[in-house]
Amino acid sequence: MDFKDKVVIVTGAGQGIGEGYARGLARLGCAVVVADINEAQGRRVAEAIGKAGGKALFAAVDVSSEASAQALARRAVDAFGGIDYLVNNAALFGSLEFNPLMSVDLGYLNKVIAVNMLGAVVMTRAVAPYLKRGAAIVNQSSTAAWMNIDYYSITKLAVNGITCVLARELGPKGIRVNAIAPGPTDTQALRDKVPQPYLDAMVAQMPLGRLGTPDDLLKALLFLLSDDADWVTGLVMNVDGGQLMRA
């Protein structure tokens, strides 16, 4: 897996799993565009990568906005000369309001859909014109996609479908599109959102008996981006400690 001098955009890279992706890819030689709507967090990650000897650029982005996504793509190309990979990680989760589907305000629901579901489409459309054969895109799904719990689940199930449709559309151009579906991963967002007794109950039912880490997910990401996966597209890969097994 040779990532030296590759250019990657990671959305939602200001914290949690996205930060782990950005730092890990930078350690392996990628020039990383740390894309996040939170300027303070995004700059923190980009500066940390730079201090560690890596190449990184912070770029503010609202993944629900076509204009913002297009400006981000242009900035990446201007800074690093091209784009090799796109990681569509950004989503509303830690700050998400979980309300019943029958009563949630439709304006709020449309906001969640615009970010968590359509953000991957908006970003891919903005970046695709700059991608060459051999490029790869990885979307962030979730095991919540199959749990039918709330509208977060719905958006992640839609990401799976979007991944497969984009894989079909972009395949003839030599661009691969896959997704990672993390199980419960030990991030601040998870701990802020999910009570400890519920986490303990989830872990107790998982075959591998522990929360995931951003590094667990990074290993899967590296495979899906690399040439080792050059005949893999349209795949939604569970990385979840066996939480949800799909035959």
Side-chain angles (χ1 to χ4, degrees):
M1 297 183 185
D2 184 5
F3 294 98
K4 187 177 180 182
D5 298 327
K6 299 291 188 180
V7 179
V8 60
I9 295 174
V10 182
T11 67
Q15 60 187 334
I17 295 171
E19 178 176 351
Y21 286 164
R23 287 174 177 263
L25 286 162
R27 286 196 300 270
L28 293 173
C30 277
V32 181
V33 179
V34 177
D36 206 289
I37 200 167
N38 185 318
E39 181 172 352
Q41 290 284 64
R43 289 193 183 280
R44 176 186 62 82
V45 173
E47 289 170 5
I49 290 172
K51 288 178 181 177
K55 292 181 182 179
L57 165 73
F58 166 72
V61 68
D62 174 358
V63 299
S64 69
S65 163
E66 287 186 291
S68 182
Q70 290 165 0
L72 168 63
R74 288 193 298 269
R75 188 168 182 200
V77 172
D78 289 345
F80 296 124
I83 304 169
D84 297 289
Y85 310 127
L86 169 64
V87 182
N88 285 315
N89 169 75
L92 295 170
F93 176 68
S95 61
L96 192 64
E97 299 173 14
F98 288 115
N99 296 309
L101 193 59
M102 290 297 293
S103 60
V104 62
D105 176 77
L106 287 181
Y108 182 74
L109 179 59
N110 281 326
K111 176 184 176 183
V112 175
I113 289 171
V115 174
N116 290 17
M117 174 180 157
L118 295 180
V121 177
V122 171
M123 281 301 308
T124 299
R125 285 167 54 138
V127 169
Y130 302 101
L131 300 180
K132 299 177 181 178
R133 296 191 72 84
I137 297 169
V138 175
N139 298 326
Q140 193 82 319
S141 178
S142 169
T143 53
W146 300 281
M147 294 179 180
N148 307 312
I149 298 172
D150 46 43
Y151 41 82
Y152 180 78
S153 298
I154 294 171
T155 61
K156 290 304 183 178
L157 185 60
V159 166
N160 295 347
I162 287 167
T163 297
C164 294
V165 171
L166 289 176
R168 190 174 295 278
E169 291 188 4
L170 295 177
K173 298 179 181 179
I175 300 168
R176 298 180 297 103
V177 187
N178 294 291
I180 293 172
T185 305
D186 196 358
T187 62
Q188 190 60 52
L190 182 76
R191 294 194 175 275
D192 288 345
K193 205 68 190 173
V194 183
Q196 189 63 46
Y198 189 85
L199 284 178
D200 292 341
M202 280 198 300
V203 169
Q205 295 176 13
M206 292 165 58
L208 296 185
R210 68 170 175 86
L211 293 176
T213 68
D215 275 350
D216 291 322
L217 301 171
L218 173 64
K219 294 168 188 175
L221 176 68
L222 295 179
F223 169 69
L224 292 175
L225 291 179
S226 77
D227 289 343
D228 288 353
D230 63 2
W231 208 48
V232 178
T233 197
L235 173 69
V236 180
M237 179 189 289
N238 284 37
V239 186
D240 64 354
Q243 180 195 29
L244 196 150
M245 298 184 186
R246 296 180 291 141

